[in-house]
């Protein structure tokens, strides 16, 4: 075939050829099915995946000591939820972007989905379950209820843990990106609180009520 005019395809044949080309791109194994099967027929089986590496981890969670045997790839979030059944800490985006998994580790708030449990052997973890109980609510939990600081409630555990830690940062004099004077002790202004809570996303949009709840707690004696 020397010229384009020598190509003689019907519309049906052209559509079939296009479909086969698309299949070859999307699923290479289908396009080379018979050849691949022939090649694999005499080939040794693929090696099995190596077993997971397990490690013992000791964690102090909400005042209780736990000794866990974990796959080294297990995130702290999954250890809390799957191993200890502390499901108050939520898995949202699982990429550290929504804040639903916020907990406090050794007094500092972190996204539990972004860190491995084995990195924190001996660490002290506080989850939403450790802040208060239905019979004895933490002041921040009570304030969220009083000010309707939630709607669907999925982000609320992370919001509350983050809020408690944010007020702790203010009390310690740790400035934020909106602090006007880095040498002055920051105040729990709406601007400061919005900045410090910006890593916690609420899809329901209860932000104004959340700020009111945190402001309420900030105005009480520590």
């Amino acid at each position: 075939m020397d010229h384009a005019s020598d190509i003689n395809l019907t519309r049906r044949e052209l559509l079939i050829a296009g479909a086969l080309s698309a299949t070859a791109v999307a699923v290479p194994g289908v396009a080379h099915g018979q050849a691949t099967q022939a090649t694999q027929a005499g080939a040794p089986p693929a090696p099995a995946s190596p077993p997971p590496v397990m490690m013992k981890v000791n964690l102090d969670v909400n005042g209780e000591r736990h000794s866990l045997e974990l796959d080294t790839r297990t995130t702290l979030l999954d250890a809390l939820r799957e191993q200890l059944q502390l499901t108050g800490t939520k898995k949202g985006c699982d990429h550290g972007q929504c804040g639903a998994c916020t907990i406090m580790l050794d007094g500092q708030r972190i996204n539990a989905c972004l860190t491995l449990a084995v990195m924190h052997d001996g660490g002290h973890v506080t989850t939403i379950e450790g802040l208060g109980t239905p019979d004895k609510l933490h002041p921040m939990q009570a304030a969220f209820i009083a000010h309707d600081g939630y709607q669907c409630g999925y982000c609320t555990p992370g919001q509350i843990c983050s809020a408690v830690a944010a007020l702790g940062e203010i009390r310690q004099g740790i400035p934020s990106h909106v602090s006007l004077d880095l040498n002055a002790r920051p105040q729990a202004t709406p601007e400061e609180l919005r900045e410090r809570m910006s890593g916690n996303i609420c899809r329901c949009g209860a932000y104004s009520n959340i700020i009111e709840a945190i402001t309420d707690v900030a105005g009480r004696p520590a």
Side-chain angles (χ1 to χ4, degrees):
M1 182 171 62
D2 298 326
H3 304 287
S5 58
D6 294 331
I7 300 175
N8 186 18
L9 291 177
T10 65
R11 183 174 181 273
R12 176 182 175 82
E13 292 169 335
L14 184 60
L15 291 174
I16 292 174
L20 291 175
S21 298
T23 302
V25 173
V27 190
V30 173
H32 304 285
Q34 292 183 346
T36 302
Q37 292 175 4
T39 302
Q40 292 179 346
S49 300
V53 178
M54 307 298 289
M55 183 178 293
K56 182 170 288 186
V57 182
N58 295 302
L59 294 172
D60 184 304
V61 182
N62 299 329
E64 295 185 12
R65 198 68 171 175
H66 297 274
S67 183
L68 305 174
E69 189 80 16
L70 298 174
D71 185 329
T72 54
R73 298 167 295 182
T74 303
T75 64
L76 183 54
L77 173 61
D78 285 338
L80 293 172
R81 289 180 56 83
E82 305 299 333
Q83 303 297 321
L84 300 181
Q85 306 304 310
L86 294 172
T87 55
T89 304
K90 302 305 181 187
K91 179 179 284 192
C93 66
D94 208 23
H95 287 79
Q97 297 176 350
C98 72
C101 67
T102 304
I103 61 168
M104 286 176 281
L105 174 68
D106 297 328
Q108 303 294 320
R109 53 180 169 159
I110 65 166
N111 291 329
C113 73
L114 291 183
T115 189
L116 299 175
V118 296
M119 297 170 61
H120 305 291
D121 186 35
H124 291 74
V125 175
T126 301
T127 70
I128 189 66
E129 292 91 346
L131 284 180
T133 65
D135 296 329
K136 189 177 180 180
L137 294 174
H138 185 280
M140 191 65 73
Q141 293 172 313
F144 265 65
I145 294 173
H147 293 275
D148 290 329
Y150 58 90
Q151 288 185 37
C152 79
Y154 194 84
C155 74
T156 305
Q159 296 273 5
I160 290 176
C161 286
S162 189
V164 171
L167 291 187
E169 294 165 5
I170 291 175
R171 286 193 293 269
Q172 295 173 52
I174 300 173
S176 77
H177 289 294
V178 299
S179 299
L180 297 178
D181 185 350
L182 298 182
N183 295 314
R185 180 169 294 276
Q187 302 299 312
T189 63
E191 292 74 18
E192 280 281 353
L193 295 177
R194 280 194 288 267
E195 168 62 24
R196 292 173 191 269
M197 294 295 295
S198 60
N200 292 81
I201 306 302
C202 174
R203 291 188 64 185
C204 300
Y207 295 113
S208 60
N209 294 8
I210 290 171
I211 295 300
E212 289 176 4
I214 302 173
T215 301
D216 185 356
V217 177
R220 305 175 191 176

